[in-house]
Amino acid sequence: MTRVLDDAEVDERMSGAEMTGWRREGNVLRRTVEAHDFPTAIRILEKIVAETQKLNRRPDIDVRGAVVHFTLHARDGLTDDDVELAHRIEIAAGSFVRGHA
């Protein structure tokens, strides 16, 4: 089991420019990404599934056309692995996200 982070640690680790699309609501991290199209949204998910397995995390994922909603949550507090998965989701989405330069 990974360590639960305090509020300051979560805020610090989520404060980078690449993480601006994430919202924190208590013990929940949320991110919505808009892919170029539906097949691209599925490719993003394929990349993320491998990362969730490595970290033993099970985020809630909702796909609506080319829009993908991610919700990471932890009953007892956000952990190193939750924040790490948020970063890995950003990397996996990368240039597949609409509006990416």
Side-chain angles (χ1 to χ4, degrees):
M1 182 169 167
T2 65
R3 180 176 70 84
V4 173
L5 303 173
D6 64 34
D7 288 339
E9 290 174 304
V10 173
D11 291 343
E12 179 183 335
R13 295 210 21 218
M14 296 300 292
S15 66
E18 73 280 1
M19 302 306 285
T20 58
W22 287 87
R23 293 185 331 270
R24 180 173 180 215
E25 301 164 0
N27 289 337
V28 177
L29 296 173
R30 296 182 192 279
R31 174 76 161 106
T32 298
V33 298
E34 185 176 353
H36 299 293
D37 52 29
F38 180 72
T40 303
I42 298 306
R43 282 196 295 279
I44 293 169
L45 293 180
E46 289 171 344
K47 289 181 135 191
I48 291 166
V49 166
E51 300 304 321
T52 64
Q53 294 297 102
K54 290 175 192 173
L55 293 171
N56 196 29
R57 306 306 299 161
R58 304 295 178 265
D60 294 336
I61 301 171
D62 182 28
V63 181
R64 306 287 172 134
V67 178
V68 185
H69 304 277
F70 298 97
T71 305
L72 311 176
H73 48 84
R75 185 181 61 209
D76 297 326
L78 294 166
T79 67
D80 285 319
D81 285 348
D82 294 312
V83 174
E84 179 61 25
L85 181 55
H87 283 268
R88 291 183 187 191
I89 287 170
E90 283 302 308
I91 291 167
S95 63
F96 293 126
V97 176
R98 188 179 300 273
H100 180 77

